[in-house]
Amino acid sequence: MTASIGAEQIVKDFKPSNVPYALAVRLTGKFKTAFPDGPPKPAKEDKDNAQSKEPQLKESNGNGVVILVGDSDMLNDQVCVQVQEILGYRMVRPMNGNLNLVQSFVEQLSGDSALISLRSRASLDRPFTRLREMQANAGREYEAKLKELEASKEETERKISELQSQEVRQRTKVHPVPRTAEGIGELSKNRG
């Protein structure tokens, strides 16, 4: 069974419980049997098959290692890789660190933990689409406010410039001196 809910929907519906959960656990040590009272009784249809007479182990002889993972979909192509057809070739690009995690499991279980430190741990770009949408919306709002403020600034600068030019015109306006005014008046009479 594969994951069919989109990542955006999962993030949208997520409600934190504030309780840490282990997604993967590595168990080591001597393991006890799941059947301390002996092997399970055979089913009715299996009565013909005689049970093995081998002695049952109550506990493992040596230390064992088991890795339990909470989700097997992590290895599904739809979850961990992006497959593209390019010029007739199938190109596979990891989308997350799931393959590296499973490779580390195999190396741990094979008994060679030194191999883990040799492999590079490249960082992957895993965009937070919801965060990008929020940033884009904020950017649009900011841009609209910025345009509004720039228009207001231009209007204010235009008004300041207009007021300054009126002030200059007021200062340079010719105010006739009374004697000059009389002379202009006489010239007007003589012409008229």
Side-chain angles (χ1 to χ4, degrees):
M1 184 170 178
T2 62
S4 59
I5 299 175
E8 293 85 21
Q9 187 65 34
I10 291 171
V11 171
K12 181 180 172 186
D13 295 342
F14 178 74
K15 291 180 180 65
S17 65
N18 297 325
V19 176
Y21 294 101
L23 297 177
V25 178
R26 181 177 182 255
L27 304 171
T28 59
K30 291 189 173 195
F31 298 109
K32 295 184 179 185
T33 182
F35 306 102
D37 298 329
K41 305 289 183 230
K44 289 181 182 180
E45 58 270 1
D46 290 340
K47 284 237 181 207
D48 328 341
N49 299 342
Q51 285 190 345
S52 172
K53 300 294 181 200
E54 294 178 20
Q56 180 185 354
L57 287 177
K58 299 289 183 185
E59 184 178 73
S60 60
N61 293 331
N63 286 335
V65 178
V66 175
I67 297 176
L68 301 174
V69 181
D71 185 9
S72 63
D73 282 351
M74 65 181 270
L75 295 178
N76 189 306
D77 282 355
Q78 294 174 352
V79 177
C80 67
V81 295
Q82 183 179 30
V83 180
Q84 296 175 327
E85 292 285 334
I86 300 176
L87 300 172
Y89 293 99
R90 188 174 182 205
M91 303 296 289
V92 178
R93 186 179 73 105
M95 293 186 335
N96 49 42
N98 290 1
L99 292 177
N100 282 341
L101 180 65
V102 172
Q103 188 175 2
S104 296
F105 291 163
V106 170
E107 291 166 356
Q108 282 281 320
L109 294 173
S110 69
D112 197 356
S113 59
L115 291 176
I116 294 173
S117 62
L118 294 176
R119 193 169 1 98
S120 68
R121 291 190 176 22
S123 63
L124 298 170
D125 179 28
R126 293 194 286 172
F128 294 102
T129 54
R130 189 171 201 157
L131 179 63
R132 283 189 179 171
E133 288 173 12
M134 291 170 61
Q135 287 175 334
N137 289 339
R140 284 191 288 275
E141 291 173 15
Y142 173 76
E143 189 175 320
K145 184 70 173 172
L146 185 62
K147 284 182 181 180
E148 181 183 320
L149 290 172
E150 285 177 351
S152 175
K153 177 186 167 200
E154 289 174 8
E155 178 65 20
T156 304
E157 287 176 349
R158 185 189 61 75
K159 286 181 181 178
I160 290 171
S161 177
E162 189 178 296
L163 289 172
Q164 286 175 340
S165 65
Q166 284 177 358
E167 185 181 326
V168 169
R169 277 189 255 135
Q170 289 290 334
R171 276 192 262 150
T172 58
K173 196 175 188 181
V174 177
H175 296 287
V177 189
R179 229 176 27 193
T180 309
E182 290 172 10
I184 293 174
E186 285 179 27
L187 286 173
S188 300
K189 287 181 192 175
N190 290 338
R191 281 191 179 168

